[in-house]
Amino acid sequence: MVDAPDPRKNRLLAALTDEDFRRWMPLLERVTMPLGQVLYEHGKPPSHAYFPTTSLLAMLYVMENGASSEIAVICNEGMVGVALFMGGGATPSRAEVQCTGEGFRIPAHAMTTEFVRSPSVAKLMLRFTQALIVQMAQTAACNRHHKLDQQL
């Protein structure tokens, strides 16, 4: 017998209170994320927030000429789609699958509703957003000041 996929393999989903998690369960959809799949595109608002469990996601900043640069990597510790609750709508970044795996997603409207509804959800998502900003800042600093072998 195969075990059912567990949303709590994602650390953000695992950190939800029991009450929040029970409310989220019917909203979460298990998804397979194949290599190269674009989860949201720059200039367009995300349709879902994605919570990887076994996949690896990359956030890419897309330039006007179409060139892109990786600005963050998200695994089972986080999610993509912070613009949904930060009020930014469309972003200049693209999220795509860098390593095939699975995860869960929640519709954009549900993510926004849950962020407003639950102070514990809001606090958790804002803490993650702070960690994401720190990762992006470190990536920018390393890209600017370190040689490629040091970055690796």
Side-chain angles (χ1 to χ4, degrees):
M1 180 188 291
V2 176
D3 290 333
D6 184 2
R8 291 193 183 226
K9 287 184 179 178
N10 176 279
R11 291 183 187 174
L12 280 179
L13 296 177
L16 291 170
T17 66
D18 289 339
E19 178 183 343
D20 290 330
F21 188 75
R22 279 192 300 275
R23 205 173 47 253
W24 280 50
M25 275 304 293
L27 303 171
L28 291 170
E29 176 188 1
R30 178 183 173 205
V31 290
T32 299
M33 299 181 203
L35 177 66
Q37 178 184 17
V38 175
L39 302 177
Y40 66 81
E41 190 59 75
H42 73 284
K44 298 178 183 174
S47 62
H48 293 81
Y50 289 85
F51 298 84
T53 53
T54 60
S55 57
L56 180 96
L57 311 179
M59 289 180 59
L60 305 161
Y61 187 89
V62 181
M63 307 295 286
E64 285 184 16
N65 68 2
S68 64
S69 180
E70 186 173 281
I71 57 173
V73 176
I74 312 292
C75 297
N76 72 332
E77 83 290 344
M79 55 90 68
V80 296
V82 297
L84 295 172
F85 55 81
M86 295 299 287
T91 69
S93 63
R94 174 175 62 230
E96 66 182 53
V97 179
Q98 201 167 42
C99 183
T100 300
E102 293 187 341
F104 291 83
R105 70 181 187 177
I106 185 172
H109 64 87
M111 183 73 220
T112 303
T113 299
E114 288 299 314
F115 183 83
V116 172
R117 171 189 233 167
S118 172
S120 60
V121 168
K123 184 176 180 180
L124 178 64
M125 295 303 154
L126 290 174
R127 280 192 355 236
F128 169 72
T129 302
Q130 181 182 13
L132 184 62
I133 291 168
V134 167
Q135 181 187 162
M136 290 175 175
Q138 184 173 1
T139 298
C142 287
N143 286 344
R144 171 69 175 94
H145 295 286
H146 294 136
K147 294 178 184 172
L148 184 57
D149 62 325
Q150 292 172 313
Q151 292 176 37
L152 297 174

